[in-house]
Amino acid sequence: MIIKKIFIANGPNLNFLGIRELEKYGSTTYAELINTIESKAKSLNLEVELFQSNNEGEIVDYIQKISQINDSWLILNPGAFTHTSISIRDALAIFSLNNKMIEVHISNINEREDFRKINLIKEFSEHSIIGQGVNGYLEALEYINGE
């Protein structure tokens, strides 16, 4: 029996996991990440819906769409938009009125370039998982399952 449906949204360049900057993001491909997330969710009796876009407006549209579903969870890795997107931040402000969000960052954004230390979404995060590689997504699922 499925207990909860979890929405997972990924921002720009996450579709290039396993290809770009292997020293920062590892060798796991995006397809492998999806399979790992789906397998972990199934083992926890969770249902996941995955979304990825390189376009800011599409991410905003997705967050707005799921904000209509009360008491839901979003695992969000907005990639570079973490540091630049006020529109995603504003969409999360709406989402967080009736829902919860966990932010996941594969690399440790706090130990990278100064501009990556700006985090426009943190205040809407129930929980932050930073620098745990792709395992951060699995930790997020476990966190939600424990709620």
Side-chain angles (χ1 to χ4, degrees):
M1 182 171 132
I2 302 298
I3 299 171
K4 296 177 188 173
K5 183 171 185 176
I6 312 303
F7 300 95
I8 302 174
N10 288 293
N13 299 310
L14 273 295
N15 57 316
F16 268 52
L17 282 177
I19 298 169
R20 66 183 276 256
E21 299 179 273
L22 299 178
E23 69 284 354
K24 289 186 179 104
Y25 301 107
S27 60
T28 302
T29 67
Y30 190 67
E32 290 168 336
L33 174 62
I34 290 171
N35 289 335
T36 301
I37 289 170
E38 289 174 340
S39 177
K40 180 66 170 183
K42 185 176 181 181
S43 76
L44 296 173
N45 291 321
L46 300 172
E47 180 183 351
V48 292
E49 177 180 300
L50 290 120
F51 174 82
Q52 188 277 328
S53 179
N54 294 316
N55 299 302
E56 183 177 21
E58 289 178 1
I59 297 168
V60 170
D61 289 343
Y62 184 76
I63 294 169
Q64 287 180 352
K65 179 182 90 171
I66 65 172
S67 71
Q68 304 303 309
I69 305 166
N70 291 334
D71 300 318
S72 63
W73 280 91
L74 169 63
I75 298 171
L76 177 63
N77 182 346
F81 290 139
T82 303
H83 323 292
T84 63
S85 180
I86 294 171
S87 60
I88 290 175
R89 181 194 181 284
D90 290 348
L92 289 171
I94 297 164
F95 178 84
S96 68
L97 294 174
N98 298 305
N99 303 289
K100 295 180 181 179
M101 187 265 294
I102 296 177
E103 67 174 314
V104 170
H105 302 282
I106 295 170
S107 68
N108 188 338
I109 60 174
N110 298 318
E111 294 180 358
R112 293 190 57 194
E113 304 92 339
D114 285 343
F115 67 87
R116 293 191 197 273
K117 294 174 186 170
I118 298 166
N119 186 335
L120 298 176
I121 67 165
K122 186 172 182 56
E123 74 178 275
F124 301 109
S125 300
E126 167 84 14
H127 186 59
S128 298
I129 302 172
I130 298 172
Q132 299 303 310
V134 294
N135 287 330
Y137 292 91
L138 308 182
E139 289 181 34
L141 291 171
E142 290 171 357
Y143 180 90
I144 293 167
N145 193 54
E147 281 289 299

